[in-house]
Amino acid sequence: MYPGVSNQKTPTTILLAPEKKFHSFGYAARDFYHDLDPTESKQWLYLEKFKMKLHTTANLSIDTDLHAANGKRVKALDIFAYALAFFKEQALKELSDQAGAEFDNADVRWVITVPAIWKMPAKQFMREAAYKAGLATRDNPDQLIIALEPEAASIYCRKLRLHQMIDLGAKTSINGYSPPENVGAGMAQAKEHVRRNRQSRTFLVENVIGELWSELNEGDRYVVMDCGGGTVDLTVHQIRMPEGHLKELYKASGGPYGSIGVDYEFEKLLCKIFGQDFIDQFKIKRPAAWVDLMIAFESRKRAAAPDRTNPLNINLPFSFIDYYKKFRGHSVEHALRKSNVDFVKWSSQGMLRMNPDAMNALFKPTIDHIIQHLKELFDRPEVTDIKFLFLVGGFAESPLLQKAVQEMLQGRSRIIIPHDVGLTILKGAVLFGLDPSVIRVRRSPLTYGVGVLNRFVEGKHPPEKMLVKDGTRWCTDVFDTFIAADQSVALGETVKRSYTPARPSQQVIVIHVYCSEKESVGFISDPGVRKCGTLRLDVSGTESPAARREIQTLMQFGDTEIRAMAIDVATSRSVKASIDFLSQ
């Protein structure tokens, strides 16, 4: 395994051979790329941290591109499909090995987790990539479910009390089954674990122990804060007894404040010391060495802590030092002396020495964003009496972040960090796949609707929206709301609307779907309203004797993805309906 990374998540890195064929993923991709000769590595396509691109691309489409380390462009859909196909092969192989028999993809239900704040296009993009990777097909979409990361974490955190004996005695349990004689030992071990952690840097953070869960009662509220590499996601849940179903109390919120932000600050610091022009050149000319430098930073980043006093050393790759001298005509050491960046020095062993304050400063912008967001969330009227705050996701392991959350909450709710914090979402996603109905009520993140014509009403409708047709006065662009932002919507609840083809011979009805962050919208032309999708009803082959064909459409907003179904009212036949959010 890799030094110091045995328990870390696999990095989101992928390597394609020069002819754009998949080569490797994760650490294997990183190492192989690093070992290539510089002349060769320019031809290979290496991509990292690409999952965030789906959140940050404004008009995501099937054709969105990504840039590899050598500057070449590749289709994002291909990259995601390659990654998912790789996971599929790994999982099926593992299952086959364990079962001692060939496992078929048809025997598997796949769950892909995405941040809750991702918009519908990003979720749909994931689904398209999964179809391309062969996880499921358009004809059998239910073989794949999209789970929301903080929801998965929430489910796992709620289930902890059922598994507490097993989870806490994980060292003694066999494949999730804990032999009875070990239960006592497991509890003792867990208590010891907590005692040790209390003395270390875990502040007032409690480790999950059975007693905690006996305290969750009907109606209790808790917040799950999922801090990952790219995003921070906040979800507010309330527990409903006796089955312990969960109900969302406020729409998911958060933003691109993941730990990548810290890497970005480090890059800015390097630009300040060595010059933006040099860093840009170095990244393109020596992509593998740049990756090495970021890996070196990554491992030191994990050593940052509020009470740290000794400096952190970051190894500069030889080719960085060498290339800098060629580029500038003076040494790296000279650059460090000349730049008036406080707290960063050159050490004779060829390292950047960062004073802990300098490292903490790199975390500050990202952590400030997170804390600001948490403050705003806790100031909302819906978010009162929060009993627990669960801190999950890879970034939750950061003592700097833990301390900041602690200081902000000042004891308003208890902060819990599950001890396998990086795996919380994975385990919760498995539980969700077994029973997707555990989350019964969600909140819509946006207001959705369509534009319609209404009878014109004097004094209510603006005159410039009036349209006269066959002697009747109509008001155009009226926003017909399907669901409002932050509205509660139960699983399986549908919004019904009827549509009629304009001409009897019409084959397809295409309806534009609009959305807005605002809760109440009057017209599709209002500020902040944008077209976000298309509803397509395939009415071919449903010609009926009825003069007016009426197609009744049912839309579901209570699941992790928006769905549509339709029927021809006259014949009760099902009509093919689809709702598409990827911009064409």
Side-chain angles (χ1 to χ4, degrees):
M1 207 41 207
Y2 299 82
V5 291
S6 58
N7 58 347
Q8 280 171 37
K9 297 221 288 213
T10 305
T12 309
T13 50
I14 200 165
L15 182 63
L16 309 188
E19 65 278 11
K20 295 196 177 178
K21 284 272 176 285
F22 174 79
H23 178 276
S24 48
F25 184 89
Y27 289 113
R30 213 157 82 165
D31 291 355
F32 188 90
Y33 183 60
H34 165 244
D35 292 340
L36 284 169
D37 189 73
T39 50
E40 272 191 291
S41 65
K42 286 195 185 64
Q43 308 307 313
W44 288 66
L45 298 131
Y46 178 79
L47 293 100
E48 58 176 1
K49 300 175 183 165
F50 50 82
K51 196 177 154 193
M52 263 306 274
K53 186 76 187 214
L54 296 196
H55 180 68
T56 51
T57 304
N59 45 357
L60 186 65
S61 80
I62 285 293
D63 299 317
T64 295
D65 281 333
L66 295 174
H67 289 273
N70 63 1
K72 290 195 175 140
R73 295 150 73 100
V74 275
K75 290 264 170 282
L77 191 71
D78 292 342
I79 297 299
F80 279 81
Y82 277 142
L84 292 172
F86 170 74
F87 298 149
K88 177 182 109 172
E89 296 310 313
Q90 295 287 92
L92 290 176
K93 183 178 176 310
E94 183 67 25
L95 286 168
S96 303
D97 289 352
Q98 286 189 16
E102 237 0 81
F103 238 87
D104 191 25
N105 189 55
D107 306 328
V108 180
R109 169 185 253 174
W110 296 97
V111 181
I112 294 180
T113 68
V114 302
I117 54 170
W118 271 20
K119 306 273 189 293
M120 266 308 301
K123 294 178 188 170
Q124 188 184 332
F125 189 94
M126 267 306 203
R127 181 168 281 283
E128 295 292 334
Y131 290 158
K132 189 163 185 166
L135 270 69
T137 57
R138 266 176 240 289
D139 305 331
N140 185 15
D142 297 340
Q143 193 183 351
L144 164 71
I145 50 183
I146 301 270
L148 307 181
E149 285 158 8
E151 284 191 358
S154 181
I155 294 165
Y156 178 67
C157 289
R158 178 183 72 73
K159 285 268 195 212
L160 276 173
R161 63 179 173 165
L162 305 178
H163 296 316
Q164 79 212 19
M165 301 294 187
I166 295 171
D167 269 71
L168 292 180
K171 308 265 189 313
T172 54
S173 70
I174 302 147
N175 295 341
Y177 166 69
S178 187
E181 67 270 28
N182 281 341
V183 170
M187 285 306 271
Q189 221 174 350
K191 286 208 166 76
E192 173 58 25
H193 180 73
V194 172
R195 200 181 59 70
R196 272 207 312 276
N197 270 9
R198 286 229 170 94
Q199 291 157 354
S200 72
R201 299 199 302 240
T202 331
F203 308 102
L204 318 167
V205 173
E206 308 177 39
N207 263 54
V208 177
I209 276 276
E211 291 96 83
L212 180 81
W213 285 102
S214 53
E215 298 172 41
L216 264 190
N217 306 313
E218 158 76 40
D220 271 351
R221 299 145 173 248
Y222 60 91
V223 169
V224 174
M225 181 164 154
D226 168 17
C227 313
T231 46
V232 168
D233 243 354
L234 293 143
T235 312
V236 189
H237 277 158
Q238 185 173 37
I239 200 152
R240 304 253 61 125
M241 296 303 180
E243 304 86 6
H245 289 137
L246 301 177
K247 172 181 170 186
E248 193 172 22
L249 293 180
Y250 181 64
K251 63 174 192 250
S253 65
Y257 318 132
S259 55
I260 285 182
V262 184
D263 302 353
Y264 181 61
E265 288 299 317
F266 177 62
E267 194 177 317
K268 279 188 356 200
L269 177 72
L270 291 175
C271 290
K272 205 166 147 189
I273 300 170
F274 303 108
Q276 174 95 44
D277 54 346
F278 167 70
I279 296 294
D280 288 347
Q281 267 301 301
F282 182 70
K283 276 160 100 170
I284 288 181
K285 290 282 192 288
R286 301 276 189 277
W290 172 255
V291 170
D292 267 1
L293 176 55
M294 290 317 276
I295 294 169
F297 172 69
E298 172 83 20
S299 70
R300 299 325 294 141
K301 178 172 87 171
R302 292 176 184 276
D307 46 10
R308 191 183 172 106
T309 49
N310 49 334
L312 296 123
N313 290 326
I314 295 162
N315 244 324
L316 282 181
F318 171 73
S319 83
F320 184 95
I321 297 170
D322 186 51
Y323 194 72
Y324 184 76
K325 190 149 179 67
K326 287 196 183 104
F327 189 89
R328 283 270 189 262
H330 60 238
S331 70
V332 162
E333 193 178 347
H334 178 81
L336 274 160
R337 268 209 309 276
K338 193 169 86 320
S339 83
N340 43 15
V341 173
D342 287 341
F343 310 130
V344 182
K345 300 279 173 278
W346 173 249
S347 82
S348 52
Q349 295 91 30
M351 305 209 189
L352 278 183
R353 290 188 78 118
M354 288 184 79
N355 170 310
D357 292 350
M359 179 60 97
N360 296 1
L362 299 181
F363 278 79
K364 194 176 176 339
T366 304
I367 289 181
D368 286 352
H369 271 302
I370 296 172
I371 296 302
Q372 179 56 33
H373 207 95
L374 201 53
K375 273 203 180 76
E376 285 166 15
L377 183 71
F378 271 79
D379 287 344
R380 305 230 30 127
E382 303 92 330
V383 190
T384 47
D385 309 324
I386 299 294
K387 199 160 185 178
F388 300 115
L389 176 106
F390 289 102
L391 210 46
V392 304
F395 196 20
E397 292 169 16
S398 161
L400 291 167
L401 178 60
Q402 292 173 9
K403 180 167 189 257
V405 172
Q406 205 91 45
E407 286 173 352
M408 188 238 116
L409 283 177
Q410 295 176 327
R412 268 191 288 182
S413 58
R414 286 160 67 184
I415 300 172
I416 313 287
I417 301 184
H419 52 246
D420 49 359
V421 65
L423 294 174
T424 308
I425 292 159
L426 180 67
K427 294 179 174 180
V430 172
L431 295 168
F432 181 71
L434 295 171
D435 177 18
S437 70
V438 56
I439 298 195
R440 291 293 162 95
V441 180
R442 289 187 174 85
R443 299 264 170 169
S444 176
L446 296 168
T447 296
Y448 287 97
V450 293
V452 293
L453 284 176
N454 276 359
R455 285 286 173 97
F456 192 87
V457 180
E458 276 303 337
K460 178 184 167 192
H461 291 141
E464 67 272 14
K465 297 272 182 203
M466 189 171 79
L467 169 83
V468 180
K469 199 176 168 193
D470 303 335
T472 310
R473 301 188 329 159
W474 297 94
C475 178
T476 60
D477 291 347
V478 175
F479 188 94
D480 168 24
T481 304
F482 291 162
I483 189 162
D486 205 35
Q487 182 183 329
S488 280
V489 50
L491 198 60
E493 196 179 306
T494 55
V495 176
K496 288 194 180 68
R497 290 289 186 275
S498 286
Y499 297 108
T500 303
R503 306 175 308 282
S505 61
Q506 194 171 340
Q507 300 288 301
V508 182
I509 305 179
V510 177
I511 298 162
H512 294 321
V513 178
Y514 294 86
C515 69
S516 169
E517 313 253 333
K518 296 198 178 73
E519 286 174 34
S520 67
V521 178
F523 298 95
I524 59 172
S525 53
D526 287 0
V529 177
R530 56 191 165 79
K531 176 181 177 279
C532 64
T534 344
L535 173 65
R536 287 177 69 92
L537 306 174
D538 180 354
V539 292
S540 59
T542 52
E543 283 76 13
S544 69
R548 262 180 96 256
R549 279 160 63 210
E550 186 190 337
I551 309 295
Q552 190 181 59
T553 308
L554 304 172
M555 282 156 296
Q556 282 189 341
F557 292 92
D559 213 328
T560 57
E561 296 172 274
I562 297 172
R563 290 203 201 127
M565 297 163 294
I567 36 180
D568 186 325
V569 177
T571 60
S572 305
R573 290 237 296 271
S574 166
V575 170
K576 199 170 171 238
S578 64
I579 189 157
D580 182 17
F581 291 94
L582 283 172
S583 57
Q584 262 52 56

